[in-house]
Amino acid sequence: MARYWGKVLTAMVTPFDVDARVNLDMACRLARRLADTGSDALVLAATTGEAPTLSDDERFELIRAVSEAVTIPVLAGTGSNDTRHALALTARAEAAGAAGVFLVAPYYNRPPQAGIEAHFRALAAATQLPVMLYDVPGRTGRRIAHEVLLRLFREIDNIVAFKDATGDPAAAARLVAEAGDHFELYSGDDALTLPLLAVGAVGVVGTSTHWTGLEFAEMIAAFEQGDVTRARAVNAALQPSFAFSNTDDSVFSMSVKAMLRSQGLAVGECRLPLPPAPAGVEQRAAQVWQDLQAWRARQR
């Protein structure tokens, strides 16, 4: 059972207008749509939300506006590879209306494990909010060690969840076996959600959930009810969405925004260094969406 934020969390894109300014009205509209289509909570100002290109003021204006627009929880992405900066961001999250804090491991400077542990301990101490840690070594360049995670989960009361984007279900299974009473595991890779449910995950922090939230909710519910055959069938139907979400020429934020634009939502393009989506991406998005809609119709 997910104790804090539910089972389907969406790492929401940050809408921009034609001048690349944050579009708060569209952000609120998108957030309400996600709440109505399967998302139990939202993660704002994280990687998919193009956090590296947001100013601090933009980040908290976004969190405040969306928190006021929806009744589901909003987690604030306040991670940084500068601990002092992350401390300042984390301390502001509660006042902005966040229901939790989302902290990625320090990136680029590749600290040793002692530095990673000290970083997370300092940030957790800076807030009364529950904290979700995020390990994505493909982006950060350094994986969080198993023993570090065990200590953090066991010793710090408000570190309560873990988004696992390591691509290592065996390690996730070991972590749940040794510290499962102290934290909740979320899949950080949409395509690995079903395998991670099998080793103890409670849900997903997703990107394709911008348009597949209902399917993820169904898949997770089916698995929890013991209907593995149905869970597999839903997972199979989601494969085209997984493949579309991240390619060599269109990464997550770009692909999600292309999908939303193809559905009539003016979320804008990404900010550099993410370029405009290449020609054909919106057409591929429309086909993925059409095929998913057809699958839904066949289930009725």
Side-chain angles (χ1 to χ4, degrees):
M1 178 183 294
R3 289 172 289 178
Y4 294 94
W5 305 299
K7 300 173 183 179
V8 180
L9 283 63
T10 295
M12 197 178 93
V13 296
T14 300
F16 298 130
D17 64 19
V18 294
D19 296 314
R21 296 173 300 199
V22 175
N23 186 337
L24 294 178
D25 289 341
M26 180 54 66
C28 293
R29 178 181 169 189
L30 174 59
R32 288 190 290 264
R33 170 176 159 149
L34 292 171
D36 290 340
T37 55
S39 291
D40 298 315
L42 304 173
V43 178
L44 299 186
T47 309
T48 304
E50 300 178 72
T53 73
L54 297 177
S55 71
D56 291 357
D57 286 344
E58 286 176 326
R59 183 189 305 254
F60 288 106
E61 287 169 2
L62 175 69
I63 292 165
R64 184 174 293 106
V66 171
S67 295
E68 293 174 354
V70 296
T71 57
I72 62 175
V74 169
L75 280 72
T78 61
S80 171
N81 64 339
D82 172 359
T83 303
R84 289 184 303 172
H85 185 211
L87 282 168
L89 295 175
T90 301
R92 292 179 63 182
E94 188 169 6
V101 173
F102 183 76
L103 299 176
V104 69
Y107 42 85
Y108 188 75
N109 42 18
R110 302 183 76 241
Q113 293 298 322
I116 294 173
E117 183 171 354
H119 175 84
F120 283 135
R121 286 181 180 274
L123 296 179
T127 182
Q128 297 299 309
L129 293 173
V131 173
M132 179 184 291
L133 303 184
Y134 176 27
D135 194 10
V136 56
R139 291 182 182 272
T140 65
R142 183 81 79 191
R143 186 165 177 173
I144 309 171
H146 177 81
E147 295 301 324
V148 168
L149 288 170
L150 286 181
R151 285 194 294 272
L152 292 172
F153 295 142
R154 289 171 174 170
E155 297 174 12
I156 302 180
D157 289 342
N158 65 327
I159 296 182
V160 300
F162 180 47
K163 177 183 175 182
D164 187 340
T166 64
D168 189 350
R174 181 185 172 206
L175 196 61
V176 170
E178 296 183 20
D181 292 339
H182 298 276
F183 82 107
E184 294 181 335
L185 175 68
Y186 285 85
S187 173
D189 181 337
D190 294 14
L192 285 180
T193 302
L194 186 54
L196 287 177
L197 289 174
V199 301
V202 300
V204 61
V205 180
T207 54
S208 70
T209 51
H210 281 82
W211 66 93
T212 61
L214 295 173
E215 282 70 34
F216 269 95
E218 181 184 359
M219 181 175 72
I220 294 168
F223 184 86
E224 291 179 342
Q225 294 161 12
D227 191 349
V228 177
T229 298
R230 181 58 185 169
R232 287 174 179 165
V234 177
N235 190 59
L238 292 175
Q239 294 303 309
S241 290
F242 300 158
F244 168 76
S245 295
N246 188 41
T247 64
D248 287 342
D249 62 353
S250 184
V251 300
F252 295 104
S253 304
M254 299 163 63
S255 298
V256 171
K257 285 189 168 183
M259 175 64 78
L260 296 175
R261 290 195 304 271
S262 77
Q263 297 177 5
L265 290 176
V267 294
E269 294 281 3
C270 296
R271 284 176 173 171
L272 287 173
L274 297 182
V281 172
E282 287 190 36
Q283 288 77 8
R284 292 202 300 274
Q287 186 63 56
V288 169
W289 176 242
Q290 180 180 327
D291 291 346
L292 183 61
Q293 292 284 80
W295 180 83
R296 287 177 177 174
R298 292 194 296 272
Q299 308 310 302
R300 298 189 184 119

